[in-house]
Amino acid sequence: MAGLVALTTGGPAVAAPGDASARGVVVDLSASVLGVPVITANATIGSATAPPGGGTDTTTGLAVTIPGAVGVTASGTVLEVSATRGPTASSANADIAELALGILGVPVVAADLITAEVNCPQSGVLTADTNVVGLTLFGAPAVLVPNTPGVTASAAVVVPGLTEASLTVTLTAVEETTADTAAAVAVLATVQLTGSVDGGQVIDIPVGTVILAEANCERPLAPTSPTATPTQPSASPTVTPTASPTQPTASPTVTPTASPTQPTQSPTASPYPTHHPHLPVTGDSGTGLWWTLGLGTGMVTLGAGAVLAVRRSRRMTGAC
């Protein structure tokens, strides 16, 4: 039903979180017979839209009139149309008093009081409510039950060029909520003209619609969404700079430590004479020196023994 209302009346669409709007009387009627306009009325009396930055838009005390209308009369007062956008809720309402609408000289719709109200809290239950007091259709009392086919009635009218003409009007009411939106229309009148041209085939001419008290709203976003957005940028710079300096610090620490260690081992084998002793003059190893000294000592010992043996031999010969 709400989709039909938006499509038929061309009303303001509620499209963003926190939006809210309200309208008092919206008349969109037009019909022609044999190319001659017999019904023409197009007007919006009382409109409010919640400010984008928050706050309330309100209009009060508007007289219901339709300048330039053809075949349509209207009277009454739009007591208030209001729409509010707040940090924790959006809401809207429309109130009309002493409304009377006539088409082609016939009183069609009248009511003492007509109201529509919606409320869209940030969390919790959304509501859409309507109230109509003293409603009549073609002078007969009518009771509307929201979200039903409504009430339909017809009345004979006089239209030049159209025989056996009649006006058919259906009244409906809308109270609808979804997970995030609420819509209320207290009275939606759909008008149709029927008759025959020159006694020929009966034709139906769609005339249009009249909205009496409409309100729409959409639930505002929860405050957690804007809070989460700055948290991610804060984490980004914290991780990136910490990781970058850590790697450069490790690089210089490992490279200088490893480089001096290897050169230190390389000269270690060469400068120590304890492992490889050399004679300062010959440059030979110490092992060759000890072998030479041992050989010389042996030869001296043998020579000394031989000398002693010769001397003993001579002494013994002399004694004989």
Side-chain angles (χ1 to χ4, degrees), residues 18-313:
D19 278 358
S21 63
R23 295 189 294 179
V25 177
V26 183
V27 181
D28 186 11
L29 301 173
S30 178
S32 297
V33 175
L34 299 176
V36 178
V38 292
I39 298 174
T40 301
N42 195 317
T44 298
I45 302 107
S47 178
T49 302
T56 300
D57 179 22
T58 302
T59 301
T60 60
L62 298 176
V64 178
T65 59
I66 309 175
V70 175
V72 178
T73 59
S75 62
T77 303
V78 174
L79 298 176
E80 180 182 81
V81 284
S82 181
T84 300
R85 182 198 303 269
T88 59
S90 63
S91 61
N93 68 277
D95 305 317
I96 306 167
E98 305 300 331
L99 178 90
L101 174 70
I103 301 175
L104 297 174
V106 175
V108 177
V109 179
D112 298 328
L113 181 66
I114 305 172
T115 66
E117 183 176 2
V118 293
N119 186 38
C120 296
Q122 190 177 81
S123 61
V125 179
L126 283 72
T127 59
D129 299 297
T130 61
N131 184 38
V132 181
V133 178
L135 178 65
T136 61
L137 176 59
F138 293 118
V143 177
L144 294 183
V145 178
N147 308 324
T148 66
V151 178
T152 300
S154 299
V157 291
V158 176
V159 179
L162 198 64
T163 58
E164 298 181 356
S166 66
L167 200 64
T168 301
V169 177
T170 298
L171 303 182
T172 56
V174 176
E175 294 178 359
E176 186 176 83
T177 60
T178 66
D180 297 312
T181 64
V185 177
V187 179
L188 170 62
T190 303
V191 183
Q192 181 174 283
L193 182 62
T194 303
S196 61
V197 178
D198 297 331
Q201 185 179 359
V202 175
I203 59 173
D204 294 324
I205 304 172
V207 177
T209 58
V210 177
I211 293 176
L212 304 174
E214 176 191 44
N216 296 276
C217 67
E218 182 162 343
R219 189 194 301 273
L221 290 175
T224 50
S225 296
T227 307
T229 305
T231 305
Q232 294 176 354
S234 298
S236 231
T238 305
V239 173
T240 308
T242 306
S244 291
T246 305
Q247 293 175 355
T249 306
S251 248
T253 305
V254 174
T255 308
T257 307
S259 292
T261 305
Q262 293 176 356
T264 307
Q265 291 174 356
S266 185
T268 326
S270 158
Y272 295 105
T274 308
H275 301 302
H276 300 285
H278 289 78
L279 293 178
V281 177
T282 62
D284 294 331
S285 67
T287 306
L289 174 61
W290 290 111
W291 183 85
T292 305
L293 291 175
L295 180 59
T297 305
M299 291 178 67
V300 170
T301 305
L302 289 176
V307 171
L308 291 174
V310 172
R311 286 181 180 176
R312 287 177 184 175
S313 178

